[in-house]
Amino acid sequence: MSHSSSSAAPRRVLVLGGARSGKSAFAEELAGEVGESVRYLATAVPDPDDRDFTERIAQHRRRRPARWSTVESADPATVLAESTVPSNPPSVTLIDDVGTWLTARIDARDAWEAPRGTITPDADALVAAVAAYPGNLVIVTPEVGMGVIPATRSGRLFRDEIGILNQRLARACDEAYFVVAGLPLRLK
């Protein structure tokens, strides 16, 4: 994403990968190439009782340059939709990641046991906000469809919902990468 020229059309880049694949680090590298002004939308909602997850969040925070602005526990659909004409637009907005956002939306709608499609309005809002966003965008999302079939309904629900959402986001983005073992493979 070396499109740092202000006259270049904004780019939307989707970065997919499995757990600990290096997708976030690769996305941060892409965002840093665009310019100094990076807005990081951190979608994770910290749980003080989950020390492992809290440490993962801390690792991400330590890795980010101090000059980047961060929106914690962000709803990217809302932030992007409100940013259609930002007064001081960042060079790039980085969303990390769609999986934690999706989990929060399923929780908010109490949809873990609800019929499939309950969170479709949330997914629609995110895809529309991504498609309409006027600036550079890097989106991190997990690829979970390559593993074992989850034993629980909630696991299968998440796998199915993220898979469908990833397909829709890939269509809305100009570029897509799949990161495996820290190595990015350009998909489009």
Side-chain angles (χ1 to χ4, degrees):
M1 186 170 184
S2 55
H3 308 287
S4 55
S5 165
S6 59
S7 62
R11 304 294 291 169
R12 289 163 192 79
V13 180
L14 186 66
V15 178
L16 302 113
R20 296 293 193 206
S21 64
K23 64 187 176 293
S24 292
F26 177 70
E28 290 165 7
E29 182 182 314
L30 287 176
E33 290 175 2
V34 174
E36 295 292 310
S37 175
V38 176
R39 176 176 56 174
Y40 188 102
L41 305 184
T43 63
V45 178
D47 176 355
D49 295 331
D50 187 341
R51 292 171 38 138
D52 179 60
F53 192 57
T54 299
E55 178 53 32
R56 282 178 180 244
I57 292 170
Q59 287 174 359
H60 279 249
R61 286 179 179 150
R62 287 190 296 269
R63 199 171 57 216
R64 291 193 294 265
R67 69 182 180 277
W68 288 12
S69 67
T70 302
V71 181
E72 298 283 353
S73 304
D75 176 2
T78 302
V79 174
L80 295 179
E82 292 171 350
S83 300
T84 53
V85 186
S87 58
N88 187 15
S91 300
V92 64
T93 295
L94 170 61
I95 301 169
D96 194 1
D97 84 7
V98 174
T100 53
W101 171 82
L102 178 64
T103 299
R105 296 312 311 145
I106 294 172
D107 284 346
R109 289 192 180 269
D110 196 22
W112 291 107
E113 299 300 325
R116 299 290 167 102
T118 300
I119 58 139
T120 299
D122 300 288
D124 291 348
L126 178 60
V127 172
V130 165
Y133 187 67
N136 292 306
L137 189 57
V138 178
I139 305 165
V140 178
T141 189
E143 174 53 61
V144 299
M146 299 175 74
V148 178
I149 295 173
T152 63
R153 182 187 192 290
S154 60
R156 290 187 300 273
L157 172 73
F158 180 83
R159 180 212 47 207
D160 293 351
E161 294 290 351
I162 197 74
I164 293 165
L165 181 54
N166 285 346
Q167 291 179 51
R168 294 179 67 198
L169 289 170
R171 284 192 298 271
C173 288
D174 305 297
E175 300 172 35
Y177 293 87
F178 182 59
V179 181
V180 180
L183 303 172
L185 173 64
R186 185 181 170 115
L187 302 175
K188 81 173 200 173

